[in-house]
Amino acid sequence: MTFKQIPAASASTGLLIILLCAMGAGPLFNYGVSVSSALIIEQLGITAGQLGLIVTVVFASAAISSIWLGNLADKISARAQMAIIFTGTAVALVMAAFAHSYWLLLAAAALSGPAQAISNATTNRVIIRAVPVEKQAGWIGVKQSGVQASQLFSGLLFPAVALALGWTGAALGGALVCVLLWFASFKYVPSPAKLAASNSPAPVEEPPEVTVETDQVSAVNTKDKMPAIVYFFAVIAMLSGMGTQATNVYLPLFAVEELNFSLVLGGVAAAVSGIIGVVSRLAWSRQMQAGAQPSRLLIMISLGAIFGVLAFLGAAMWQQTVLVWVGAALHGMTVLGANVVINAGLLRAVPGSKIGAASGLNSMGMYAGFALGPLVMGGLQDLTHSFTAGWMFVGVSYVACGVVAVMLYRRRGRNEKRS
């Protein structure tokens, strides 16, 4: 006899918006640095490679803390986790606002990492406990779009405020937004007592082993063994994350330095990706809700992302600004949706009691990719004084992502033949 949670009545629109904001709060730091990159480089006298190291520190910190925080998410209340997300980001932004040296900015970056690392585990756990099963994939799509909503918000707010009030004013404005969202979360995030009351366990008979039907790769849910598909997802998250974050960080600077965009217009290019990313994440979540195979969607995402890289290469080669917008659009349409597919796949493959740990493992892969991508691309830019080599690196990461997705798809096919 095992127990299956009954969905809570607390799955309100307000809760969904807070989950979206929780996903978007952490990235405010790195998106703010990215879209204000030309100003920060000039103000601190650093290189493009040093700028990439700032974001690398953010995600290295997130990767190191993600598994521990993922396990912690299974033990502490959702409200406590919201405090980590919103206040952690606010403190990092305040520190960055008054950072008059590069090293202090790196320290702020390290502080912001854990706030991002726990966000997936926190929001996934709230959804799996408070949302009816048939709506969970849709909620995943909406809350994951919070990252792109943050990209949109940062692309429009930070450059404009930074030009008027400097980086200090822009960073303090972002910190204030995080504090206000934290206070708002008190109203909508269920307390532990409320979750316990609205999720009274109902006994149901289940076989001792439950086989997962989606992209099944030895995905037998037991107490001791994590489904193998979780590791495939972690590798895909790492490879796609390398290209995703390299693009997020350097797209505005690429547009400013190689296509002569203004600082504000460079931020708008990032915002375009964010706008399209919000829509695309909802679209990918609908595909998952309709029962699509994650591996097949990830193959499509990888192919589209490769075409986006080709657009950026063409923009630099032929000085065609229109290709920057094409590349930004393809970036938003494709690889920005990968995490939606992966997280929805995790909810299918992992029992609720282990979703925090599985999300932490996936986050470790994703944040490792997020850390490596900007570091490598920035280093290549410093070495070659061009973004061409960096874009080629991004393209290779997407090719590798597609290869792993094909391996997952083919292995699923072999498992189906055996059964």
Side-chain angles (χ1 to χ4, degrees), residues 252-270:
L253 189 63
F254 166 71
V256 169
E257 290 195 350
E258 297 216 1
L259 281 302
N260 298 315
F261 282 34
S262 67
L263 181 68
V264 172
L265 195 59
V268 171

Side-chain angles (χ1 to χ4, degrees), residues 34 70 86 117 209 252 259 279 310 388 412:
S34 173
F86 290 119
E209 293 184 348
L259 281 302
V279 177
L310 292 176
T388 299
R412 177 185 181 277

Side-chain angles (χ1 to χ4, degrees), residues 101-399:
S101 73
Y102 178 64
W103 296 107
L104 192 56
L105 196 56
L106 287 178
L111 187 61
S112 76
Q116 297 187 52
I118 199 173
S119 59
N120 261 324
T122 298
T123 52
N124 284 349
R125 185 152 180 80
V126 170
I127 288 174
I128 209 168
R129 295 191 67 190
V131 180
V133 173
E134 66 274 10
K135 294 183 178 181
Q136 287 179 0
W139 274 57
I140 287 286
V142 173
K143 69 97 172 175
Q144 290 296 142
S145 69
V147 178
Q148 271 53 66
S150 177
Q151 187 177 18
L152 167 62
F153 177 80
S154 301
L156 297 177
L157 175 75
F158 275 85
V161 176
L163 286 176
L165 302 176
W167 164 250
T168 298
L172 288 177
L176 178 61
V177 169
C178 288
V179 171
L180 293 176
L181 289 172
W182 178 44
F183 286 131
S185 72
F186 297 155
K187 179 177 181 180
Y188 297 105
V189 177
S191 65
K194 187 173 181 181
L195 269 179
S198 59
N199 282 278
S200 302
V204 293
E205 293 288 347
E206 291 181 354
E209 293 184 348
V210 180
T211 302
V212 179
E213 297 179 354
T214 302
D215 284 325
Q216 173 186 322
V217 185
S218 303
V220 177
N221 295 334
T222 69
K223 291 182 178 179
D224 301 319
K225 187 177 180 181
M226 190 72 73
I229 191 174
V230 175
Y231 298 98
F232 273 85
F233 281 154
V235 173
I236 292 170
M238 182 189 72
L239 293 170
S240 63
M242 287 166 61
T244 297
Q245 207 54 233
T247 303
N248 287 343
V249 170
Y250 284 104
L251 174 57
L253 189 63
F254 166 71
V256 169
E257 290 195 350
E258 297 216 1
L259 281 302
N260 298 315
F261 282 34
S262 67
L263 181 68
V264 172
L265 195 59
V268 171
V272 165
S273 286
I275 294 170
I276 296 174
V278 170
V279 177
S280 77
R281 287 192 163 200
L282 295 175
W284 291 117
S285 73
R286 289 193 187 99
Q287 290 292 316
M288 287 295 295
Q289 197 164 1
Q293 298 171 17
S295 58
R296 182 174 292 177
L297 297 184
L298 291 167
I299 292 169
M300 295 168 59
I301 284 171
S302 301
L303 288 173
I306 291 168
F307 282 108
V309 171
L310 292 176
F312 291 134
L313 286 169
M317 184 179 300
W318 299 307
Q319 288 295 296
Q320 292 292 320
T321 57
V322 67
L323 290 177
V324 173
W325 303 109
V326 171
L330 286 171
H331 179 63
M333 290 167 59
T334 58
V335 74
L336 292 186
N339 212 26
V340 172
V341 175
I342 290 171
N343 276 278
L346 283 176
L347 291 190
R348 292 183 186 177
V350 180
S353 60
K354 297 180 73 174
I355 192 63
S359 298
L361 178 62
N362 177 70
S363 293
M364 183 182 70
M366 180 182 68
Y367 289 126
F370 282 2
L372 284 171
L375 180 67
V376 173
M377 191 164 184
L380 289 171
Q381 203 280 339
D382 280 354
L383 184 66
T384 64
H385 303 291
S386 167
F387 285 92
T388 299
W391 289 129
M392 292 177 68
F393 157 73
V394 171
V396 169
S397 73
Y398 292 151
V399 170

